[in-house]
Amino acid sequence: ELKVEQNPLFLSMQEGKNYTIYCNYSTTSDRLYWYRQDPGKSLESLFVLLSNGAVKQEGRLMASLDTKARLSTLHITAAVHDLSATYFCVVNRDDKIIFGKGTRLHILP
Amino acid sequence: DVKVTQSSRYLVKRTGEKVFLECVQDMDHENMFWYRQDPGLGLRLIYFSYDVKMKEKGDIPEGYSVSREKKERFSLILESASTNQTSMYLCASSPPRGSGNTIYFGEGSWLTVV
């Protein structure tokens, strides 16, 4: 059974700090995604990671994938208040899409 | 601009009512999904479909059924709504494995059962 675990589930941090969200998954997967969700909104695609060693960056966010360790990270650099949201790790295997529980990120001004 | 449209954004239904949640995508995707999102539980897969008239149970199918008569439309049905089905329901679609990258989500349907 494919399981996706994120940690931490809640993170409160100061603006300007760096932090990493971790995503572990239990079996091999075809691809891994990171999504952002603002309160009352749908999910916005951030990154799609397809292969071992993949690294993608957009602004202050950088995602990486280690398929051997079954681990993906989402790194936040010099956080700003606008990044406050819930971030989901999503794993796709055999066309079945499984979500982590999400990391609720609260950035204090 | 790609779109997954959930026709009902906010619904209030009575216990025992039959409820239909409709989802339409305009990207000719084979795969479609229904999730529910609850505080502290994240998003949980109810059902998914990888082709017309095909469906597979997700993690929490009890109390739900689905219909996929046309490729673009995937309906979630609550045969007899109960208060524990009060939740936010999210529809998604994706192309099949190997032919595309991104999963697309609808805006969500907030259902309250009283």
Side-chain angles (χ1 to χ4, degrees):
Chain A
E1 183 188 352
L2 177 58
K3 291 185 179 180
V4 181
E5 293 186 359
Q6 282 182 243
N7 71 84
L9 297 182
F10 183 81
L11 177 59
S12 182
M13 57 193 288
Q14 296 282 342
E15 276 193 327
K17 300 289 187 184
N18 303 333
Y19 210 81
T20 300
I21 300 170
Y22 297 88
C23 173
N24 290 91
Y25 53 98
S26 57
T27 63
T28 57
S29 77
D30 299 320
R31 61 194 67 169
L32 188 141
Y33 310 82
W34 284 97
Y35 281 83
R36 167 183 172 147
Q37 186 180 36
D38 292 294
K41 301 287 187 180
S42 189
L43 279 77
E44 173 192 354
S45 177
L46 295 174
F47 301 108
V48 182
L49 303 169
L50 299 176
S51 59
N52 187 43
V55 176
K56 290 197 175 179
Q57 184 164 4
E58 180 74 32
R60 301 175 187 273
L61 300 177
M62 182 173 71
S64 66
L65 178 62
D66 180 344
T67 57
K68 293 179 182 176
R70 295 176 188 163
L71 170 69
S72 179
T73 61
L74 180 67
H75 187 73
I76 303 143
T77 302
V80 293
H81 181 66
D82 286 351
L83 291 179
S84 295
T86 300
Y87 293 85
F88 288 95
C89 171
V90 183
V91 175
N92 186 339
R93 183 184 178 192
D94 296 334
D95 288 332
K96 191 173 178 182
I97 298 169
I98 304 296
F99 285 75
K101 288 193 174 181
T103 297
R104 188 172 167 192
L105 178 62
H106 182 54
I107 298 170
L108 303 169
Chain B
D1 195 20
V2 296
K3 265 198 171 173
V4 178
T5 304
Q6 294 180 231
S7 54
S8 301
R9 294 296 309 280
Y10 302 95
L11 305 94
V12 180
K13 297 290 182 181
R14 295 190 181 278
T15 300
E17 276 194 78
K18 191 170 185 176
V19 181
F20 292 87
L21 298 179
E22 303 286 343
C23 176
V24 178
Q25 50 96 1
D26 63 2
M27 295 161 285
D28 202 34
H29 285 167
E30 280 75 6
N31 299 335
M32 295 187 75
F33 309 83
W34 274 106
Y35 295 87
R36 65 177 282 178
Q37 185 174 23
D38 301 286
L41 297 176
L43 281 89
R44 294 177 291 167
L45 180 63
I46 305 171
Y47 268 97
F48 68 103
S49 169
Y50 51 86
D51 203 350
V52 176
K53 296 190 186 294
M54 305 298 284
K55 61 185 179 184
E56 287 204 20
K57 293 180 180 179
D59 299 319
I60 51 162
E62 296 79 19
Y64 303 94
S65 62
V66 290
S67 173
R68 185 119 182 248
E69 295 296 320
K70 293 184 178 181
K71 192 176 185 181
E72 67 269 19
R73 186 180 297 269
F74 192 35
S75 303
L76 180 69
I77 304 157
L78 289 67
E79 294 290 342
S80 178
S82 63
T83 55
N84 63 12
Q85 291 178 310
T86 292
S87 186
M88 195 272 270
Y89 292 86
L90 204 58
C91 175
S93 75
S94 74
R97 190 168 25 132
S99 60
N101 290 339
T102 304
I103 311 162
Y104 297 88
F105 290 92
E107 291 294 306
S109 297
W110 276 259
L111 172 66
T112 301
V113 183
V114 298

